[in-house]
Coordinates of all heavy atoms in Angstrom, one line a residue:
P370 N -150.5 64.7 40.7 CA -151.8 64.0 40.5 C -152.6 63.9 41.8 O -152.0 63.8 42.9 CB -151.3 62.6 40.2 CG -149.9 62.7 39.7 CD -149.3 63.9 40.5
Q371 N -153.9 64.0 41.7 CA -154.7 64.0 42.9 C -154.6 62.7 43.7 O -154.7 62.7 44.9 CB -156.2 64.1 42.5 CG -157.2 64.4 43.6 CD -156.8 65.7 44.4 OE1 -156.4 66.7 43.8 NE2 -156.9 65.6 45.7
E372 N -154.3 61.6 43.0 CA -154.1 60.3 43.8 C -152.9 60.3 44.7 O -152.8 59.6 45.6 CB -154.0 59.1 42.8 CG -153.0 59.2 41.7 CD -153.5 59.8 40.4 OE1 -154.4 60.6 40.5 OE2 -152.9 59.4 39.4
V373 N -151.9 61.2 44.4 CA -150.8 61.4 45.2 C -151.2 62.2 46.4 O -151.0 61.9 47.6 CB -149.6 62.0 44.5 CG1 -148.5 62.4 45.5 CG2 -149.0 61.0 43.5
L374 N -151.7 63.4 46.1 CA -152.1 64.3 47.2 C -153.1 63.7 48.2 O -152.9 64.0 49.4 CB -152.7 65.6 46.6 CG -151.7 66.6 46.0 CD1 -152.5 67.8 45.4 CD2 -150.8 67.2 47.1
K375 N -154.0 62.9 47.8 CA -155.0 62.4 48.7 C -154.5 61.4 49.7 O -155.1 61.1 50.7 CB -156.2 61.8 47.9 CG -155.9 60.5 47.3 CD -157.1 59.9 46.5 CE -156.8 58.5 45.9 NZ -157.9 58.0 45.1
S376 N -153.3 60.9 49.4 CA -152.7 59.9 50.4 C -151.5 60.5 51.2 O -150.8 59.8 51.9 CB -152.1 58.7 49.6 OG -153.2 58.1 48.9
V377 N -151.3 61.8 51.1 CA -150.3 62.5 51.8 C -150.8 63.0 53.2 O -151.9 63.6 53.2 CB -149.7 63.7 51.1 CG1 -148.8 64.6 51.9 CG2 -148.9 63.2 49.8
D378 N -150.1 62.7 54.3 CA -150.6 63.1 55.6 C -150.1 64.5 56.0 O -150.8 65.3 56.6 CB -150.0 62.1 56.6 CG -150.6 60.7 56.4 OD1 -151.8 60.5 56.5 OD2 -149.8 59.8 56.0
Y379 N -148.8 64.8 55.6 CA -148.3 66.1 55.9 C -147.6 66.7 54.6 O -146.8 66.0 54.0 CB -147.2 66.0 56.9 CG -147.7 65.6 58.3 CD1 -147.9 64.2 58.6 CD2 -148.0 66.5 59.3 CE1 -148.3 63.8 59.8 CE2 -148.5 66.1 60.5 CZ -148.7 64.7 60.8 OH -149.1 64.3 62.0
L380 N -148.1 67.9 54.2 CA -147.5 68.5 53.0 C -146.8 69.8 53.5 O -147.3 70.6 54.3 CB -148.6 68.9 52.0 CG -148.2 69.4 50.6 CD1 -147.6 68.2 49.8 CD2 -149.4 70.0 49.9
T381 N -145.5 70.0 53.0 CA -144.7 71.1 53.6 C -144.2 72.0 52.5 O -142.9 72.1 52.3 CB -143.5 70.5 54.3 OG1 -142.7 69.7 53.4 CG2 -144.0 69.6 55.5
P382 N -145.0 72.7 51.8 CA -144.6 73.7 50.8 C -144.2 75.0 51.4 O -144.6 75.3 52.5 CB -145.8 73.8 49.9 CG -147.0 73.7 50.9 CD -146.5 72.7 51.9
N383 N -143.5 75.8 50.6 CA -143.5 77.3 50.9 C -144.7 77.9 50.2 O -145.5 77.2 49.6 CB -142.2 77.9 50.5 CG -141.9 77.8 49.1 OD1 -142.8 77.7 48.2 ND2 -140.6 77.8 48.7
E384 N -144.9 79.2 50.4 CA -146.1 79.9 49.8 C -146.2 79.7 48.3 O -147.3 79.4 47.8 CB -146.1 81.3 50.2 CG -146.3 81.6 51.7 CD -146.1 83.1 52.0 OE1 -145.0 83.5 52.1 OE2 -147.1 83.7 52.3
T385 N -145.1 79.8 47.6 CA -145.1 79.7 46.2 C -145.4 78.3 45.8 O -146.3 78.1 44.8 CB -143.7 80.0 45.6 OG1 -143.4 81.4 45.9 CG2 -143.6 79.8 44.1
E386 N -144.9 77.3 46.4 CA -145.2 75.9 46.1 C -146.6 75.6 46.4 O -147.3 74.8 45.6 CB -144.2 75.0 46.9 CG -142.8 75.1 46.4 CD -141.7 74.7 47.4 OE1 -142.1 74.4 48.6 OE2 -140.5 74.7 47.1
A387 N -147.2 76.1 47.5 CA -148.6 75.9 47.8 C -149.5 76.4 46.7 O -150.5 75.7 46.3 CB -148.9 76.5 49.1
A388 N -149.2 77.6 46.2 CA -150.0 78.2 45.1 C -149.9 77.3 43.9 O -150.9 77.1 43.2 CB -149.5 79.6 44.9
I389 N -148.7 76.9 43.5 CA -148.6 76.1 42.3 C -149.4 74.8 42.4 O -150.1 74.4 41.5 CB -147.1 75.9 42.0 CG1 -146.4 77.2 41.6 CG2 -146.9 74.8 40.9 CD1 -144.9 77.1 41.5

Side-chain angles (χ1 to χ4, degrees):
Q371 191 57 41
E372 57 266 30
V373 170
L374 280 176
K375 73 180 182 182
S376 298
V377 169
D378 299 294
Y379 296 84
L380 190 71
T381 61
N383 59 28
E384 290 171 286
T385 298
E386 291 157 353
I389 291 171

